PDB file of all heavy atoms in Angstrom:
ATOM      1  N   SER A 106      17.456 -14.330  -6.262  1.00 97.00           N
ATOM      2  CA  SER A 106      16.129 -14.939  -6.422  1.00 97.00           C
ATOM      3  C   SER A 106      15.863 -15.234  -7.922  1.00 97.00           C
ATOM      4  O   SER A 106      15.320 -16.339  -8.237  1.00 97.00           O
ATOM      5  CB  SER A 106      15.071 -13.989  -5.874  1.00 97.00           C
ATOM      6  OG  SER A 106      13.754 -14.455  -6.158  1.00 97.00           O
ATOM      7  N   ALA A 107      16.230 -14.322  -8.821  1.00 96.00           N
ATOM      8  CA  ALA A 107      16.038 -14.572 -10.242  1.00 96.00           C
ATOM      9  C   ALA A 107      16.864 -15.722 -10.724  1.00 96.00           C
ATOM     10  O   ALA A 107      16.466 -16.530 -11.571  1.00 96.00           O
ATOM     11  CB  ALA A 107      16.361 -13.307 -11.033  1.00 96.00           C
ATOM     12  N   GLN A 108      18.102 -15.887 -10.200  1.00 97.00           N
ATOM     13  CA  GLN A 108      18.942 -17.012 -10.596  1.00 97.00           C
ATOM     14  C   GLN A 108      18.313 -18.312 -10.161  1.00 97.00           C
ATOM     15  O   GLN A 108      18.381 -19.319 -10.920  1.00 97.00           O
ATOM     16  CB  GLN A 108      20.306 -16.831  -9.941  1.00 97.00           C
ATOM     17  CG  GLN A 108      21.104 -15.685 -10.564  1.00 97.00           C
ATOM     18  CD  GLN A 108      22.378 -15.346  -9.728  1.00 97.00           C
ATOM     19  OE1 GLN A 108      22.445 -15.628  -8.539  1.00 97.00           O
ATOM     20  NE2 GLN A 108      23.359 -14.746 -10.394  1.00 97.00           N
ATOM     21  N   GLN A 109      17.718 -18.369  -8.960  1.00 96.00           N
ATOM     22  CA  GLN A 109      17.087 -19.586  -8.532  1.00 96.00           C
ATOM     23  C   GLN A 109      15.801 -19.876  -9.388  1.00 96.00           C
ATOM     24  O   GLN A 109      15.463 -21.033  -9.591  1.00 96.00           O
ATOM     25  CB  GLN A 109      16.714 -19.468  -7.054  1.00 96.00           C
ATOM     26  CG  GLN A 109      17.897 -19.384  -6.101  1.00 96.00           C
ATOM     27  CD  GLN A 109      18.819 -20.594  -6.261  1.00 96.00           C
ATOM     28  OE1 GLN A 109      18.423 -21.730  -6.336  1.00 96.00           O
ATOM     29  NE2 GLN A 109      20.117 -20.250  -6.427  1.00 96.00           N
ATOM     30  N   SER A 110      15.167 -18.824  -9.814  1.00 96.00           N
ATOM     31  CA  SER A 110      13.990 -19.031 -10.681  1.00 96.00           C
ATOM     32  C   SER A 110      14.357 -19.714 -11.993  1.00 96.00           C
ATOM     33  O   SER A 110      13.660 -20.560 -12.544  1.00 96.00           O
ATOM     34  CB  SER A 110      13.304 -17.699 -10.965  1.00 96.00           C
ATOM     35  OG  SER A 110      12.747 -17.174  -9.752  1.00 96.00           O
ATOM     36  N   VAL A 111      15.508 -19.348 -12.535  1.00 96.00           N
ATOM     37  CA  VAL A 111      16.040 -19.974 -13.751  1.00 96.00           C
ATOM     38  C   VAL A 111      16.278 -21.474 -13.482  1.00 96.00           C
ATOM     39  O   VAL A 111      15.901 -22.352 -14.278  1.00 96.00           O
ATOM     40  CB  VAL A 111      17.331 -19.298 -14.252  1.00 96.00           C
ATOM     41  CG1 VAL A 111      17.940 -20.099 -15.391  1.00 96.00           C
ATOM     42  CG2 VAL A 111      17.013 -17.864 -14.683  1.00 96.00           C
ATOM     43  N   ILE A 112      16.967 -21.761 -12.385  1.00 96.00           N
ATOM     44  CA  ILE A 112      17.246 -23.183 -12.008  1.00 96.00           C
ATOM     45  C   ILE A 112      15.978 -23.967 -11.850  1.00 96.00           C
ATOM     46  O   ILE A 112      15.834 -25.085 -12.335  1.00 96.00           O
ATOM     47  CB  ILE A 112      18.120 -23.219 -10.768  1.00 96.00           C
ATOM     48  CG1 ILE A 112      19.470 -22.592 -11.018  1.00 96.00           C
ATOM     49  CG2 ILE A 112      18.286 -24.678 -10.299  1.00 96.00           C
ATOM     50  CD1 ILE A 112      20.349 -22.435  -9.791  1.00 96.00           C
ATOM     51  N   ALA A 113      14.971 -23.339 -11.142  1.00 96.00           N
ATOM     52  CA  ALA A 113      13.704 -24.022 -10.940  1.00 96.00           C
ATOM     53  C   ALA A 113      13.022 -24.288 -12.248  1.00 96.00           C
ATOM     54  O   ALA A 113      12.463 -25.380 -12.459  1.00 96.00           O
ATOM     55  CB  ALA A 113      12.845 -23.151 -10.082  1.00 96.00           C
ATOM     56  N   GLN A 114      13.009 -23.326 -13.203  1.00 95.00           N
ATOM     57  CA  GLN A 114      12.380 -23.540 -14.481  1.00 95.00           C
ATOM     58  C   GLN A 114      13.075 -24.555 -15.321  1.00 95.00           C
ATOM     59  O   GLN A 114      12.431 -25.338 -16.036  1.00 95.00           O
ATOM     60  CB  GLN A 114      12.274 -22.192 -15.204  1.00 95.00           C
ATOM     61  CG  GLN A 114      11.353 -22.207 -16.425  1.00 95.00           C
ATOM     62  CD  GLN A 114       9.883 -22.456 -15.989  1.00 95.00           C
ATOM     63  OE1 GLN A 114       9.351 -21.815 -15.053  1.00 95.00           O
ATOM     64  NE2 GLN A 114       9.240 -23.414 -16.576  1.00 95.00           N
ATOM     65  N   GLN A 115      14.405 -24.618 -15.297  1.00 95.00           N
ATOM     66  CA  GLN A 115      15.144 -25.599 -15.990  1.00 95.00           C
ATOM     67  C   GLN A 115      14.845 -27.043 -15.496  1.00 95.00           C
ATOM     68  O   GLN A 115      15.044 -28.055 -16.266  1.00 95.00           O
ATOM     69  CB  GLN A 115      16.671 -25.341 -15.899  1.00 95.00           C
ATOM     70  CG  GLN A 115      17.089 -24.121 -16.702  1.00 95.00           C
ATOM     71  CD  GLN A 115      18.556 -23.768 -16.447  1.00 95.00           C
ATOM     72  OE1 GLN A 115      19.085 -24.011 -15.341  1.00 95.00           O
ATOM     73  NE2 GLN A 115      19.189 -23.155 -17.435  1.00 95.00           N
ATOM     74  N   ALA A 197      12.672 -16.703 -18.014  1.00 96.00           N
ATOM     75  CA  ALA A 197      13.321 -16.601 -16.643  1.00 96.00           C
ATOM     76  C   ALA A 197      14.740 -16.087 -16.757  1.00 96.00           C
ATOM     77  O   ALA A 197      15.157 -15.252 -15.935  1.00 96.00           O
ATOM     78  CB  ALA A 197      13.349 -18.019 -15.991  1.00 96.00           C
TER      79      ALA A 197
END
Side-chain angles (χ1 to χ4, degrees):
S106 176
Q108 290 169 337
Q109 294 304 313
S110 295
V111 172
I112 296 173
Q114 195 62 52
Q115 288 173 330

